[in-house]
Amino acid sequence: MTIEAIMRTSPVIPVLVIDDVATARPLAEALVAGGLRVLEVTLRTPAALDAIAAMKQVPGAIVGAGTVVSHDQFDQAMAAGAEFIVSPGLTEALAEPIIASDVPFLPGVATAGDLMRGYALGLRHFKFFPAEASGGVKALKALAAPFHEARFCPTGGITAETAPDYLALPAVLCVGGSWVDKGDLASVERQARAAAALPRD
């Protein structure tokens, strides 16, 4: 799949911090059952790589690695079976080998300079991060105007209440959210179902 196809799969990509690998597969099953097939597992915990491998066993799940900041993490994520890569920022040193590998890649940007660097690398799909701290909807709308080819997945501080404001922007294909995996598995499935039903422009 291309990164655009992944971003268009559902309006919300859960951003998951997994502390216990035993919870990974049941969590993925609940999210997929609720309609959220694209799952981003952040490489912030020792369990993350094993969690990616476990979630990959869930039919319909599209599992990627987030918070990738080094070549070593990229290699480890690929070995675990990650289907796409998300980074919190954008540097040529990190981006070039990922682009060369042809793995779907969503680098983080927050400024016009970040976007120009991405454009120079041939990229047009970005994570706007940290979205709320970087000025929210107003800032993203301003950035999207001169970079009219760019498409975004805003992530960082977004809630079920604010997600629709981002999804109303034509340049936004989806949002990243950490609110959908709270509570028991029944609650997760309900929250995923509500997130999957959010309208996009």
Side-chain angles (χ1 to χ4, degrees), residues 106-174:
L106 193 65
V109 297
T111 67
D114 292 341
L115 281 160
M116 289 177 71
R117 192 178 310 117
Y119 265 48
L121 290 163
L123 300 170
R124 295 296 183 273
H125 297 83
F126 305 95
K127 174 170 84 164
F128 179 55
F129 177 81
E132 286 292 285
S134 298
V137 170
K138 186 175 180 180
L140 181 53
K141 191 173 181 180
L143 281 172
F147 298 97
H148 59 89
E149 296 175 316
R151 295 295 178 265
F152 298 93
C153 175
T155 305
I158 296 174
T159 65
E161 291 71 34
T162 59
D165 298 331
Y166 286 95
L167 291 167
L169 299 180
V172 171
L173 299 184
C174 59

Side-chain angles (χ1 to χ4, degrees), residues 31-190:
L31 290 165
V32 171
L36 299 183
R37 295 174 52 218
V38 179
L39 312 175
E40 177 189 337
V41 178
T42 62
L43 301 188
R44 300 182 191 179
T45 69
L49 293 168
D50 289 336
I52 290 170
M55 289 179 160
K56 281 267 294 178
Q57 304 306 310
V58 176
I62 302 166
V63 187
T67 323
V68 175
V69 298
S70 70
H71 293 163
D72 285 346
Q73 285 185 325
F74 170 54
D75 291 340
Q76 291 165 356
M78 296 310 298
E83 295 171 81
F84 63 95
I85 297 294
V86 183
S87 64
L90 175 59
T91 65
E92 290 87 346
L94 179 63
E96 286 171 350
I98 299 176
I99 294 167
S101 75
D102 212 29
V103 175
F105 179 41
L106 193 65
V109 297
T111 67
D114 292 341
L115 281 160
M116 289 177 71
R117 192 178 310 117
Y119 265 48
L121 290 163
L123 300 170
R124 295 296 183 273
H125 297 83
F126 305 95
K127 174 170 84 164
F128 179 55
F129 177 81
E132 286 292 285
S134 298
V137 170
K138 186 175 180 180
L140 181 53
K141 191 173 181 180
L143 281 172
F147 298 97
H148 59 89
E149 296 175 316
R151 295 295 178 265
F152 298 93
C153 175
T155 305
I158 296 174
T159 65
E161 291 71 34
T162 59
D165 298 331
Y166 286 95
L167 291 167
L169 299 180
V172 171
L173 299 184
C174 59
V175 301
S178 58
W179 77 86
V180 291
D181 68 333
K182 303 298 183 275
D184 61 22
L185 293 176
S187 297
V188 169
E189 185 173 339
R190 282 196 302 272

